[in-house]
Amino acid sequence: MNPSNFLAELKRRNVYKVAIAYLVAGWALSQGIAQVFPVFDISNWAIRIIVLLIVVGFPVAVVFAWFFEITPEGVKRTEVADAMPKATGRKRHAWIYVVVAGAAISVALFFLGRYTASNRAAAAAPNELPAKSIAVLPFENLSEDKANAFFAEGIQDEILTRLAKVADLKVISRTSTQHFKSAPENLPEIAKRLGVMHILEGSVQKASDQVRVNVQLINALTDAHLWADTYDRKLTDIFAVETEIAKAIADTLQAKLTGSEQHVIAARPTESTEAHQLYLKGRYFWNKRTGNDLKKSIDYFQQAIAVDPNYALAYAGVADAYVWLPGYTAGTPRDCYPKAKAAATKALQLDDTLAEAHTTLALAIWLYDFDSAQAIREFQRAIELNPNYAIAHQQYGNNTLAALGRFDDAIVEGKRAVELDPLSLVINTDLGSDYYYARRYDEAIAQLRKTLEMDPGFYIAHLVLGQVLDAKGARDAAIVECQKARGLNDDPSVLGVLARAYGLSGNKMEAEKILDQLKKLYQERYVSAYSFALTYLGLGDKEEALR
């Protein structure tokens, strides 16, 4: 057949029109089901099958159009339809109606899907809390010996840590939950502040080598008690109790556990009850976060290691304490960071699933070795192992990503850290710092003022707010914030920021006084060279600042 004659024949037999009508109708149908099916929780495989059938049906429709015609008297073969009178022949404009109808159906299904989805979202809006979310409130110490408070706190912390390693759960960090007492009355309000739907309450009673642990899981929005149990065990069985509680909670909240997560939850970090109690005492002091308490924690962690040299968590504790000491001006980076790195490395040699040790190793590598690639790998491994570890997100963003100029990524990590630890003052402040580094000053100011609403006495937030105001050119306001920070804490880093603000505002005399003060302090304690650099910048001495 002549090609030109063949194309003309395709046109005469309405093959083109049928093909266009089919494509429009098929597209309308596929778009419609893509909008509507998910709303009714119909599986994606059903959508795929329908789309596949539409695609397969296209050549069938084209072949049908070649051999048959639709007439007022029904479907006729093309030869028969051609012989029929024109008054009763095929309707030449029927394909236009198909196109219009297909478009109308597509639009109708689109808006139906949107309307139904919006209604469903509106129905879910009153909760706005993830169903698989939990906060573990402080456990009440019912022991006659009140010195056992460290033990109750430790049990709470370890159950929380086991739960936090389940990626399918949102678990709030201990820093935020410690703001509340055990078994509070205003559970819905607490749940809203923490951003969770469920609360775990508990109590611990220890006498000699016997332990009783009471726990109850509550839906904070309905006050429904979902699960509760009491465990009377020997001290040597405490890890098994923590595992049973974590698994029961995961089952109740229908959280999916991977094989590795089940293994981690069931871990027994030491066989020595003595080493375990020394470790819990170390964490008790570590959580206080002062220079002296960090040094006490190191003593207890090292005692635990002396009892059990293979206790990985105790090495991780030593690393955690040393990496924070310079920040509390209780040690120098040159002395502390290598010790933190060595202890974290040892912990990971014994147990490479410890997110805390990976985080601390990342910090030590970044702050001392300046190896960004290795630090990033360690941070990412920590987050992979424990997606709910707020400190890993915080430090990854605020330390490494921000310093590399990846400000948007840093802010994402900072926000995630705040979500997991919403009442942590330092994490909220660091999010403000992330905005500051990104030169998003108004957002930084808003975040820092929000932090100071939680605690007006948190000096670091005043200090960072002073830096932000200084960057915006509001130097008088910056000086006020730095003076507040200085009145709340004698951290020498405050002096450097204050001296710079004084100098750039024209008050060189005050900047000179602070420089003399820093020089005297340097003879007595650790003072960062950065504080001197800021002071010299305020005085306009760039060469000395660079030195």
Side-chain angles (χ1 to χ4, degrees), residues 501-512:
Y502 271 132
L504 294 179
S505 68
N507 193 341
K508 305 284 187 182
M509 186 178 296
E510 286 298 325
E512 291 280 6

Side-chain angles (χ1 to χ4, degrees), residues 12-25:
R12 190 185 72 79
R13 293 173 181 249
N14 289 328
V15 174
Y16 290 146
K17 294 175 182 179
V18 170
I20 293 171
Y22 187 95
L23 290 173
V24 171

Side-chain angles (χ1 to χ4, degrees), residues 41 53 111 133 169 172 195 200 221 261 273 292 301 309 313 328 363 448 464 476 509 512 541:
D41 294 325
L53 290 174
F111 283 108
S133 56
L169 288 177
I172 298 302
L200 183 72
L221 301 184
E261 287 171 349
T273 57
N292 288 333
F301 291 139
L313 279 174
Y328 292 89
L363 275 171
L448 292 163
V464 179
D476 289 342
M509 186 178 296
E512 291 280 6
D541 190 345

Side-chain angles (χ1 to χ4, degrees), residues 4 18 28 44 55 138 163 171 267 299 394 532:
S4 60
V18 170
N44 285 335
V55 173
L163 288 172
V171 183
D299 289 339
Q394 170 207 8
F532 285 101

Side-chain angles (χ1 to χ4, degrees), residues 90-402:
R90 54 191 171 278
K91 296 197 173 184
R92 298 181 179 277
H93 301 294
W95 71 279
I96 298 178
Y97 301 134
V98 173
V99 171
V100 173
I105 292 170
S106 176
V107 171
L109 288 173
F110 176 82
F111 283 108
L112 174 62
R114 285 296 178 89
Y115 174 76
T116 313
S118 62
N119 280 351
R120 176 175 282 195
N127 290 339
E128 292 183 349
L129 298 174
K132 300 177 184 180
S133 56
I134 185 171
V136 183
L137 296 189
F139 281 16
E140 187 177 359
N141 176 31
L142 299 181
S143 306
E144 291 185 7
D145 184 357
K146 297 307 174 186
N148 281 329
F150 78 91
F151 188 76
E153 186 175 296
I155 299 301
Q156 173 222 1
D157 202 12
E158 291 187 340
I159 291 172
L160 186 156
T161 299
R162 290 173 192 263
L163 288 172
K165 293 177 180 179
V166 179
D168 202 28
L169 288 177
K170 175 188 175 183
V171 183
I172 298 302
S173 296
R174 178 187 176 280
T175 316
S176 289
T177 61
Q178 289 304 104
H179 288 263
F180 307 102
K181 66 177 183 179
S182 181
E185 297 177 357
N186 54 338
L187 279 182
E189 180 185 338
I190 291 173
K192 184 177 179 182
R193 288 188 68 186
L194 296 177
V196 296
M197 188 177 289
H198 302 97
I199 299 289
L200 183 72
E201 300 176 349
S203 64
V204 178
Q205 187 173 3
K206 177 176 175 289
S208 186
D209 66 341
Q210 293 294 125
V211 180
R212 168 172 289 183
V213 180
N214 287 293
V215 284
Q216 56 180 342
L217 180 65
I218 303 168
N219 183 316
L221 301 184
T222 63
D223 201 30
H225 287 57
L226 305 179
W227 167 80
D229 210 338
T230 299
Y231 300 85
D232 285 305
R233 303 286 178 83
K234 288 188 175 293
L235 195 58
T236 52
D237 293 332
I238 195 61
F239 295 128
V241 171
E242 293 166 0
T243 297
E244 289 178 36
I245 292 172
K247 284 185 175 179
I249 293 169
D251 290 343
T252 304
L253 300 186
Q254 298 181 341
K256 298 176 183 177
L257 295 178
T258 65
S260 60
E261 287 171 349
Q262 291 178 355
H263 175 74
V264 169
I265 285 179
R268 186 179 180 88
T270 181
E271 298 297 327
S272 170
T273 57
E274 181 185 357
H276 181 230
Q277 292 196 71
L278 288 167
Y279 169 77
L280 293 182
K281 287 181 180 178
R283 281 296 175 193
Y284 178 78
F285 285 105
W286 183 83
N287 283 320
K288 292 180 179 292
R289 298 294 183 88
T290 69
N292 288 333
D293 285 316
L294 286 172
K295 290 178 179 178
K296 286 182 183 177
S297 76
I298 292 172
D299 289 339
Y300 281 112
F301 291 139
Q302 289 178 334
Q303 289 180 50
I305 290 169
V307 175
D308 181 359
N310 294 317
Y311 196 176
L313 279 174
Y315 287 101
V318 171
D320 286 346
Y322 272 121
V323 86
W324 295 119
L325 276 178
Y328 292 89
T329 65
T332 66
R334 183 177 298 175
D335 179 52
C336 294
Y337 291 150
K339 291 179 180 177
K341 184 178 175 182
T345 301
K346 178 63 176 178
L348 292 173
Q349 288 173 352
L350 294 168
D351 183 356
D352 65 358
T353 67
L354 297 179
E356 298 87 348
H358 281 286
T359 300
T360 302
L361 181 58
L363 275 171
I365 289 171
W366 173 246
L367 295 172
Y368 196 70
D369 297 333
F370 304 106
D371 185 343
S372 60
Q374 181 63 24
I376 287 173
R377 284 194 292 271
E378 294 296 335
F379 275 127
Q380 291 176 341
R381 178 60 175 152
I383 292 169
E384 179 187 350
L385 289 167
N386 187 345
N388 291 291
Y389 191 35
I391 292 176
H393 292 282
Q394 170 207 8
Q395 296 299 331
Y396 181 33
N398 188 252
N399 266 302
T400 306
L401 294 178

Side-chain angles (χ1 to χ4, degrees), residues 436 466-467 469-476 478-479 496-512 533-542:
Y436 164 55
Q467 290 176 300
L469 292 168
D470 184 38
K472 282 198 74 173
R475 296 215 162 82
D476 289 342
I479 289 170
V497 178
L498 184 57
R500 181 182 182 276
Y502 271 132
L504 294 179
S505 68
N507 193 341
K508 305 284 187 182
M509 186 178 296
E510 286 298 325
E512 291 280 6
L534 288 178
T535 304
Y536 284 119
L537 285 174
L539 291 169
D541 190 345
K542 294 182 180 179

